[in-house]
Amino acid sequence: MISQNKFCIINVLQKMLDKLRMIEIKRAEELEISVVQVHAIFEIGKLREVSTNEFSKILYLDKNTVNKIVNNLVDEKFVLRHIHPENTRHVILKLTENGQKIYENIRDDFKLYCKRILDNLPEKSRESITKDFEILLKSMEDNA
């Protein structure tokens, strides 16, 4: 049985994920590309560069599906791919300047959303919540 406090944390995290998803949907509509492509751009942007093998694990998709997504993003000039200099079997993905702008717009939209929420809280609550989220984030990283 999930306690009320745990349910509240789950609910907050789910709402934040929903908001990020809505930001990605909006950006996809503006760019006239799929939400999956926008999400892929966002994930590559967070990592700066990633191998296609790791990327398929991050997206929870098979390599063929990831290759189709990446091919479209390369064709749209949002992603660059190159062979890893030390291991020629690994392909590395990195955002182009256009892809980087998309990533930064999504990141900035989400930061603005979070800032508006925090700005609506009393100062004392804001400090407490910020500290609690730092603790939660550390726990999440420790249990990844």
Side-chain angles (χ1 to χ4, degrees), residues 24-83:
E24 289 179 339
I25 290 169
K26 178 183 168 202
R27 199 62 66 197
E29 289 170 355
E30 290 170 2
L31 296 166
E32 298 179 353
I33 62 175
S34 73
V35 176
V36 171
Q37 288 172 305
V38 171
H39 183 67
I41 290 169
F42 185 72
E43 291 298 327
I44 295 169
K46 284 193 316 187
L47 299 167
R48 301 203 184 254
E49 66 178 39
V50 63
S51 73
T52 52
N53 288 341
E54 289 205 21
F55 196 49
S56 68
K57 292 175 188 171
I58 290 167
L59 295 179
Y60 300 101
L61 296 171
D62 64 88
K63 290 176 189 172
N64 288 334
T65 302
V66 167
N67 283 331
K68 289 177 188 175
I69 294 167
V70 168
N71 287 341
N72 288 333
L73 292 172
V74 169
D75 290 346
E76 295 283 340
K77 305 210 181 332
F78 296 130
V79 170
L80 296 170
R81 78 179 137 207
H82 63 275
I83 304 299

Side-chain angles (χ1 to χ4, degrees), residues 24-25 27-28 60 66 95 105 126 131 134-135 142:
E24 289 179 339
I25 290 169
R27 199 62 66 197
Y60 300 101
V66 167
L95 296 179
N105 286 336
R126 191 179 320 150
K131 184 152 183 81
E134 288 171 357
I135 293 166
D142 291 347

Side-chain angles (χ1 to χ4, degrees), residues 2-140:
I2 296 178
S3 71
Q4 189 64 27
N5 289 342
K6 289 179 184 174
F7 179 75
C8 183
I9 291 169
I10 292 167
N11 199 18
V12 167
L13 294 174
Q14 187 61 53
K15 284 185 185 290
M16 292 181 85
L17 286 171
D18 290 346
K19 181 59 179 179
L20 181 57
R21 191 174 304 119
M22 292 306 298
I23 291 168
E24 289 179 339
I25 290 169
K26 178 183 168 202
R27 199 62 66 197
E29 289 170 355
E30 290 170 2
L31 296 166
E32 298 179 353
I33 62 175
S34 73
V35 176
V36 171
Q37 288 172 305
V38 171
H39 183 67
I41 290 169
F42 185 72
E43 291 298 327
I44 295 169
K46 284 193 316 187
L47 299 167
R48 301 203 184 254
E49 66 178 39
V50 63
S51 73
T52 52
N53 288 341
E54 289 205 21
F55 196 49
S56 68
K57 292 175 188 171
I58 290 167
L59 295 179
Y60 300 101
L61 296 171
D62 64 88
K63 290 176 189 172
N64 288 334
T65 302
V66 167
N67 283 331
K68 289 177 188 175
I69 294 167
V70 168
N71 287 341
N72 288 333
L73 292 172
V74 169
D75 290 346
E76 295 283 340
K77 305 210 181 332
F78 296 130
V79 170
L80 296 170
R81 78 179 137 207
H82 63 275
I83 304 299
H84 192 285
E86 296 170 14
N87 186 343
T88 57
R89 294 184 345 194
H90 282 101
V91 175
I92 303 297
L93 306 174
K94 188 174 181 172
L95 296 179
T96 63
E97 191 174 316
N98 286 339
Q100 186 65 29
K101 286 178 187 173
I102 294 167
Y103 163 71
E104 290 169 1
N105 286 336
I106 296 166
R107 182 200 60 202
D108 292 348
D109 286 351
F110 193 64
K111 280 183 179 180
L112 181 61
Y113 166 75
C114 292
K115 182 182 181 323
R116 284 194 313 253
I117 291 170
L118 290 174
D119 287 350
N120 282 332
L121 298 173
E123 182 67 33
K124 192 169 188 166
S125 296
R126 191 179 320 150
E127 291 172 14
S128 173
I129 288 172
T130 300
K131 184 152 183 81
D132 290 343
F133 265 93
E134 288 171 357
I135 293 166
L136 179 62
L137 181 60
K138 172 87 169 89
S139 178
M140 291 168 74

